PDB file of all heavy atoms in Angstrom:
ATOM      1  N   CYS A1230      22.920   9.705 153.599  1.00 97.00           N
ATOM      2  CA  CYS A1230      22.540  10.975 152.903  1.00 97.00           C
ATOM      3  C   CYS A1230      22.724  10.776 151.354  1.00 97.00           C
ATOM      4  O   CYS A1230      23.812  10.131 151.080  1.00 97.00           O
ATOM      5  CB  CYS A1230      23.390  12.187 153.401  1.00 97.00           C
ATOM      6  SG  CYS A1230      22.963  13.834 152.625  1.00 97.00           S
ATOM      7  N   THR A1296       3.112  35.347 156.349  1.00 95.00           N
ATOM      8  CA  THR A1296       3.969  36.536 155.808  1.00 95.00           C
ATOM      9  C   THR A1296       3.153  37.308 154.951  1.00 95.00           C
ATOM     10  O   THR A1296       3.416  38.457 154.754  1.00 95.00           O
ATOM     11  CB  THR A1296       5.253  36.152 155.123  1.00 95.00           C
ATOM     12  OG1 THR A1296       4.963  35.480 153.889  1.00 95.00           O
ATOM     13  CG2 THR A1296       6.173  35.312 155.841  1.00 95.00           C
ATOM     14  N   PHE A1329       1.690  29.021 144.934  1.00 97.00           N
ATOM     15  CA  PHE A1329       2.856  28.200 145.543  1.00 97.00           C
ATOM     16  C   PHE A1329       3.579  27.672 144.313  1.00 97.00           C
ATOM     17  O   PHE A1329       2.970  26.936 143.406  1.00 97.00           O
ATOM     18  CB  PHE A1329       2.427  27.084 146.472  1.00 97.00           C
ATOM     19  CG  PHE A1329       2.226  27.665 147.822  1.00 97.00           C
ATOM     20  CD1 PHE A1329       0.947  28.160 148.286  1.00 97.00           C
ATOM     21  CD2 PHE A1329       3.306  27.518 148.688  1.00 97.00           C
ATOM     22  CE1 PHE A1329       0.931  28.611 149.561  1.00 97.00           C
ATOM     23  CE2 PHE A1329       3.127  28.014 150.041  1.00 97.00           C
ATOM     24  CZ  PHE A1329       1.899  28.497 150.507  1.00 97.00           C
ATOM     25  N   ILE A1330       4.903  27.669 144.290  1.00 97.00           N
ATOM     26  CA  ILE A1330       5.662  26.921 143.226  1.00 97.00           C
ATOM     27  C   ILE A1330       6.501  25.968 143.937  1.00 97.00           C
ATOM     28  O   ILE A1330       7.252  26.393 144.983  1.00 97.00           O
ATOM     29  CB  ILE A1330       6.476  28.118 142.408  1.00 97.00           C
ATOM     30  CG1 ILE A1330       5.524  29.044 141.795  1.00 97.00           C
ATOM     31  CG2 ILE A1330       7.274  27.313 141.383  1.00 97.00           C
ATOM     32  CD1 ILE A1330       6.114  30.386 141.439  1.00 97.00           C
ATOM     33  N   ASP A1344      29.872  19.384 151.590  1.00 97.00           N
ATOM     34  CA  ASP A1344      30.650  20.711 151.144  1.00 97.00           C
ATOM     35  C   ASP A1344      31.307  20.563 149.868  1.00 97.00           C
ATOM     36  O   ASP A1344      32.537  20.787 149.816  1.00 97.00           O
ATOM     37  CB  ASP A1344      31.616  21.126 152.334  1.00 97.00           C
ATOM     38  CG  ASP A1344      31.782  22.545 152.407  1.00 97.00           C
ATOM     39  OD1 ASP A1344      31.268  23.129 151.535  1.00 97.00           O
ATOM     40  OD2 ASP A1344      32.706  22.962 153.195  1.00 97.00           O
TER      41      ASP A1344
END
Side-chain angles (χ1 to χ4, degrees):
C1230 183
T1296 66
F1329 276 89
I1330 301 154
D1344 201 6

